[in-house]
Amino acid sequence: SGYSLTFAWDGAVVHTSADSVLQGDLLSSIGATYFNARRTGEWEVTVDCSLMVSPPGATGPGSMFVVEFTGLAFGTSPVDVTVVEILDEFGGQLLGFGELDGGITVDVVAPTVSEVAIENWSLPHTNGYVKDGDDIWVGAIVTDDDPAFGQSGITADFSSLGGGSAVAPESYLGGVATWTFEVATCDPPDGTVTVTVTGADAVGNSGDGGVGILADNTAPGAITNLAAAPGHEKVDLAWDDPSGLDDHYRGVVVRYAAWGDYPLYDAPGPPYPAGHEAGDGEAFSALGSATAAIHEIVPRDIHYYGAFAFDEALNYGPAVESAQARATNYWLGDVASVWGTWGHNGVVNDADMDRFGGSYYMATPLLHEAECDVGPTDDASSVGIPEPDDLVDLEDLMIFSMNYGTVSSRVVPFGRTPVADHTLSLSLEQRGETADGTVKVALVLEGNVQEVKGLSALMAFDPEVTTFVEARPSRGLSTPVSETFFWFGSDDSTVRVDLSALGRGVTLGGSGDLAILTFRTASDAYTLAFEDAVLRGAQNQDLVADLVSDHDGHEEEPDLPTTFRLAGNVPNPFNPVTRVAYHVPREAHVTIRVHDVSGRLVRTLVDHVIEPGRHEAVWDGRSDSGTTVATGVYFCTMKAEDFTGNHKMLLLK
């Protein structure tokens, strides 16, 4: 019917007070009670309780009292219980009660998670990116003040990488938890994904830490305008600047596949490399925005190339036609090393013609004579792809003749594809200005469709306010595929720039900045204008071009064309669509027609009166009846008044 107990604890580990002791239900469930808890020691409380009514006392079981403790520091506090007295229903003392002491384990500090890190084992160059399928390692320092804390209290959330949300570590040594994980699906596929590591102790305290990493599952765009040109035991490669193909662009790789059937090429040719690891090997690989390379390779063969841009996550661009090209790694006609001896020395001269003469009109040539069967080529040029026809005849003679004494690339792969109307022009465009009055002006060629071989431009300035400093060729004009000659000279008021692509039949391949001219000027109102300019084509013919002085960055409207002109088609070769540009100086009836090599009319593109200006027609590779035409050479002819112009087009499939 009553009791008096004391309990004591370790005040360094836990804290409580008499006010934190609440009566249990052992006696209060019977009737009214007297209940009192009082501090009887530094870390001791005595609890007294008795029934206030006469019914029989409690028989149990039940709770005498409940104590609320506050944890102070990690550890275990004993709770020592002492029975002072326990009374029966008549007030007599009951004996024989055991004293079962207790203990309180205190843990008030949550585990600490720090230095969470991700290593991408699939990307040896960086740990800043991840993509689907990568193998990653995750590590974190996880500590707790409980010596018993261990691996079972640690998990990682890999749900943003397609894994589980509570994955136990594979190891936990020296406070470091580690996981290895193959990424399934990043969520989001492009953007920041996070791995969170959580530590939870035995009493439910938890702490976490995380790390973010950039997911990138989008491949760069396709390389454009890959070109391959032959050389002696090498292939010269060039392509457009790839740096804008991806926000996280890293570099470019070029793969190759060899035909393997020199010099007959009877077996089918190989496919272009379908990916960054396909083909027979790597021709070139580099970081940065490289746009040209030399693939040095022997023995002789026709090589098929595929170029692929790649980003920081090692996603690779697609295998598309614009990123494919093929070329020989030898000069067609180079069949003799010295007079009277078969071999190769990188030139075509009298020794090669002697070997060729002995094989002329030989049908189904064997052994070395088969090396003379190099024609026709796929584009009728001396640097094209040989298509041996088992007969050494005029087709082969023309190739030997064109390469005699000189062998070189068809074009310097300079600049970008011309704009749609192919308006051939030279302009002066300001590229930059500094506080000290230094101004850089670009000499820009536009509308060039592999026409321009060389030029001379004379520009005038006011010496009262402007001083010429220097002229340099642009970066785009420098390429290992073909060399260019560059020169400049100046006097007090003029500067002249001359340049030319070196090699028989070699021209500049596109448009862009030719040179950067540097001036010092004392006024923003400086003047710089063309006094004269001469442009020449592959056969040294004069070319007509607009001249635009644009030092303030505002292009002047060019005049109407002064002559009829068939400017050519872009792209060329093409598949399946190409654009044909033409100029009309005055209102006239114009016809533009496409014929095949036999002269048969294939398609009429234009046949009506055209207003003055620069125009273009589009050919989709179909005949007038709507039928898709075959791969081959076609001729575009323009007629207007007494003007007739012709241009060769190559359709490749």
Side-chain angles (χ1 to χ4, degrees):
S1 62
Y3 59 82
S4 178
L5 301 175
T6 64
F7 64 90
W9 65 92
D10 184 348
V13 179
V14 294
H15 169 74
T16 190
S17 67
D19 294 336
S20 298
V21 181
L22 302 177
Q23 184 181 185
D25 63 357
L26 178 66
L27 297 181
S28 63
S29 62
I30 297 174
T33 62
Y34 166 81
F35 183 84
N36 179 60
R38 65 188 187 280
R39 196 72 170 255
T40 55
E42 181 181 10
W43 295 337
E44 179 186 273
V45 170
T46 299
V47 180
D48 298 323
C49 184
S50 64
L51 283 170
M52 302 294 292
V53 294
S54 59
T59 60
S63 169
M64 291 181 172
F65 56 88
V66 177
V67 184
E68 182 178 308
F69 288 92
T70 300
L72 298 178
F74 178 81
T76 300
S77 169
V79 179
D80 296 327
V81 178
T82 302
V83 176
V84 178
E85 62 179 348
I86 297 178
L87 305 177
D88 62 17
E89 59 183 312
F90 302 109
Q93 187 168 349
L94 294 174
L95 302 176
F97 286 92
E99 299 174 345
L100 297 178
D101 295 332
I104 302 173
T105 299
V106 176
D107 189 347
V108 295
V109 179
T112 300
V113 180
S114 63
E115 297 187 35
V116 183
I118 297 178
E119 293 182 7
N120 191 329
W121 289 356
S122 298
L123 304 180
H125 64 284
T126 180
N127 291 317
Y129 295 83
V130 68
K131 65 181 180 298
D132 296 351
D134 282 353
D135 293 322
I136 65 171
W137 174 93
V138 175
I141 297 176
V142 186
T143 58
D144 191 68
D145 54 5
D146 183 356
F149 178 80
Q151 184 171 344
S152 61
I154 305 171
T155 60
D157 183 355
F158 290 113
S159 57
S160 65
L161 299 174
S165 60
V167 180
E170 296 172 7
S171 68
Y172 180 60
L173 297 172
V176 178
T178 62
W179 297 257
T180 56
F181 180 71
E182 181 179 351
V183 177
T185 304
C186 295
D187 183 18
D190 296 287
T192 300
V193 294
T194 302
V195 173
T196 301
V197 175
T198 300
D201 60 25
V203 298
N205 299 308
S206 66
D208 58 38
V211 62
I213 188 171
L214 190 61
D216 183 358
N217 283 281
T218 299
I223 295 287
T224 55
N225 293 326
L226 177 66
H232 178 54
E233 297 181 347
K234 67 175 184 176
V235 176
D236 295 306
L237 302 165
W239 54 90
D240 289 345
D241 185 348
S243 58
L245 296 176
D246 193 276
D247 290 341
H248 309 132
Y249 172 81
R250 179 170 172 81
V252 63
V253 61
V254 181
R255 301 286 296 184
Y256 77 92
W259 191 316
D261 195 25
Y262 172 84
L264 302 177
Y265 304 116
D266 287 334
Y272 286 99
H276 69 282
E277 295 180 331
D280 296 327
E282 182 180 286
F284 173 78
S285 179
L287 306 180
S289 55
T291 58
I294 298 175
H295 181 209
E296 296 182 354
I297 185 170
V298 291
R300 292 187 158 202
D301 210 336
I302 297 171
H303 299 88
Y304 287 64
Y305 294 91
F308 308 90
F310 58 91
D311 59 23
E312 292 287 354
L314 297 188
N315 297 298
Y316 288 81
V320 298
E321 185 176 354
S322 67
Q324 297 170 340
R326 60 179 184 166
T328 62
N329 64 329
Y330 59 94
W331 299 119
L332 302 182
D334 177 18
V335 296
S337 55
V338 296
W339 190 276
T341 302
W342 295 99
H344 317 120
N345 60 1
V347 297
V348 179
N349 54 24
D350 290 341
D352 302 284
M353 299 309 297
D354 172 65
R355 296 285 86 190
F356 179 77
S359 306
Y360 198 64
Y361 256 90
M362 180 180 292
T364 315
L366 302 175
L367 301 176
H368 290 295
E369 288 78 5
E371 293 186 291
C372 297
D373 184 13
V374 294
T377 60
D378 64 333
D379 61 359
S381 78
S382 62
V383 288
I385 300 299
E387 298 177 345
D389 56 3
D390 294 330
L391 177 65
V392 181
D393 60 359
L394 180 63
E395 295 286 356
D396 311 288
L397 175 58
M398 293 305 300
I399 301 299
F400 271 73
S401 298
M402 287 189 286
N403 278 343
Y404 179 81
T406 178
V407 284
S408 58
S409 306
R410 286 162 284 190
V411 298
V412 177
F414 159 74
R416 58 188 179 275
T417 302
V419 295
D421 65 2
H422 314 328
T423 303
L424 192 61
S425 68
L426 279 179
S427 65
L428 297 170
E429 300 178 9
Q430 183 170 312
R431 288 289 184 259
E433 183 175 4
T434 61
D436 63 358
T438 299
V439 175
K440 294 187 181 297
V441 178
L443 174 62
V444 184
L445 175 66
E446 293 287 359
N448 177 41
V449 192
Q450 301 179 6
E451 298 174 276
V452 178
K453 181 177 180 64
L455 62 89
S456 177
L458 180 64
M459 295 147 284
F461 53 88
D462 183 355
E464 295 295 326
V465 295
T466 305
T467 303
F468 173 72
V469 178
E470 66 171 358
R472 294 178 180 271
S474 69
R475 289 193 304 170
L477 197 64
S478 302
T479 169
V481 177
S482 287
E483 296 183 357
T484 54
F485 173 86
F486 182 89
W487 174 91
F488 73 90
S490 67
D491 57 25
D492 289 342
S493 61
T494 63
V495 56
R496 182 182 295 276
V497 171
D498 288 5
L499 61 90
S500 179
L502 300 181
R504 182 178 301 169
V506 182
T507 59
L508 298 176
S511 301
D513 293 357
L514 295 171
I516 302 297
L517 287 68
T518 303
F519 299 88
R520 278 194 292 270
T521 178
S523 171
D524 292 338
Y526 72 93
T527 60
L528 180 64
F530 289 105
E531 278 201 359
D532 186 30
V534 176
L535 285 78
R536 297 286 176 83
Q539 305 304 319
N540 204 29
Q541 74 275 23
D542 287 326
L543 301 174
V544 178
D546 294 326
L547 302 180
V548 181
S549 297
D550 182 30
H551 70 269
D552 289 326
H554 303 290
E555 184 174 320
E556 301 172 6
E557 283 295 325
D559 296 332
L560 289 173
T562 57
T563 62
F564 290 101
R565 178 181 176 221
L566 180 63
N569 67 296
V570 172
N572 192 27
F574 68 97
N575 177 26
V577 176
T578 190
R579 299 170 298 172
V580 178
Y582 61 98
H583 297 176
V584 178
R586 54 189 173 274
E587 186 176 281
H589 187 275
V590 177
T591 61
I592 298 179
R593 294 185 170 93
V594 179
H595 298 80
D596 62 19
V597 292
S598 68
R600 181 178 62 88
L601 175 64
V602 175
R603 181 76 173 268
T604 298
L605 302 178
V606 178
D607 187 9
H608 52 270
V609 175
I610 300 294
E611 295 180 353
R614 295 169 173 84
H615 308 275
E616 73 171 18
V618 177
W619 185 35
D620 59 1
R622 297 178 182 272
S623 66
D624 281 330
S625 64
T627 304
T628 300
V629 301
T631 295
V633 176
Y634 294 85
F635 295 92
C636 183
T637 301
M638 172 182 170
K639 292 185 178 181
E641 297 180 356
D642 58 354
F643 169 81
T644 299
N646 295 282
H647 184 74
K648 183 171 69 174
M649 304 184 292
L650 180 60
L651 173 60
L652 294 178
K653 294 184 178 180

